[in-house]
Amino acid sequence: NIMSVVVNVEERDVAAQQSRDAEGLKEKLRLEQETEPCVNKMRQPSHSSLVFLAKVSERAKRFDDMREYVRQIVYLTPDLTSEERNLLAVAYKNSLTMRRHSWQLILKKSRVERGSIEQAGLDHFKELVRREIENICFDIMDLIKNKLLVYSQEEKIDEATVFYLKLMGDYNRYLTELDVSGSQGENRKNVVKYYEEAFELGMSVLKPTDVNLLGLVLNMSVFFYDILNKPDKACLLANRAYDDAISHVDALPAAEQDEANLLLSFLRKNLELWTSNEN
């Protein structure tokens, strides 16, 4: 009987503890549910905060961080302002620039060290940089194809559509730099496809002095000349854009005039170089 009493007491204590544990768990879940919105609010900056942080990252030259903030902006809304589109372009281009330089340096060093004991280390380093370049290119192209371009085309925001098509061409072009074999791969076909789509739309909806159009023609003509070895096509594109814009630049606001003049000077220098090479 004494044993039965002890057992009953122990069972009662265990049951009481289990009941207290259950109540404690319910209270913990209740508190988590109440505080979760506050936590999420702290973890998820507002649209304006993300734009601010992207600008600060640009000034601090922390372009990988800037890229992350811009990505979050895109996930909040695909309806980017002109300023936000420029932040997107600056973040990804500068995040990629150092890695593109690294890639070229490693390629040159690999040719010098071919067959040496250092070759294996260089090959590993080269693959590391290749993956980083590919990840950045695929990241921005995914944002454009699945979010930004879909929205701009549905809403018929032609200026934004030209901008995004140009970026698609640019980042496919950067991927062609990884093709050391020189073959005409899928990336090169995509470069032509997106550049030509952007050019066709841009010529129909943008002014000849629009910096997006001039930047597109600059990149497109260089690609045709340097990569596809089509100097006639490159010169035709650059010459047409230059002639169409040069007489209208003075009518632009001062800020736009400076950028347009800079792009036109690049087109003119390329034309001079290309025509002298042909001669």
Side-chain angles (χ1 to χ4, degrees), residues 242-255:
Y242 184 88
D243 289 344
D244 287 349
I246 193 63
S247 59
H248 302 288
V249 174
D250 292 340
L252 293 173

Side-chain angles (χ1 to χ4, degrees), residues 268-279:
R268 187 183 67 251
K269 288 175 182 176
N270 283 347
L271 282 167
E272 291 171 355
L273 176 66
W274 295 342
T275 52
S276 66
N277 286 346
E278 291 303 305
N279 292 335

Side-chain angles (χ1 to χ4, degrees), residues 215-230:
L216 165 65
V217 173
L218 178 64
N219 291 3
M220 187 177 179
S221 59
V222 169
F223 178 75
F224 275 101
Y225 191 91
D226 286 345
I227 307 300
L228 297 186
N229 194 26
K230 294 184 177 180

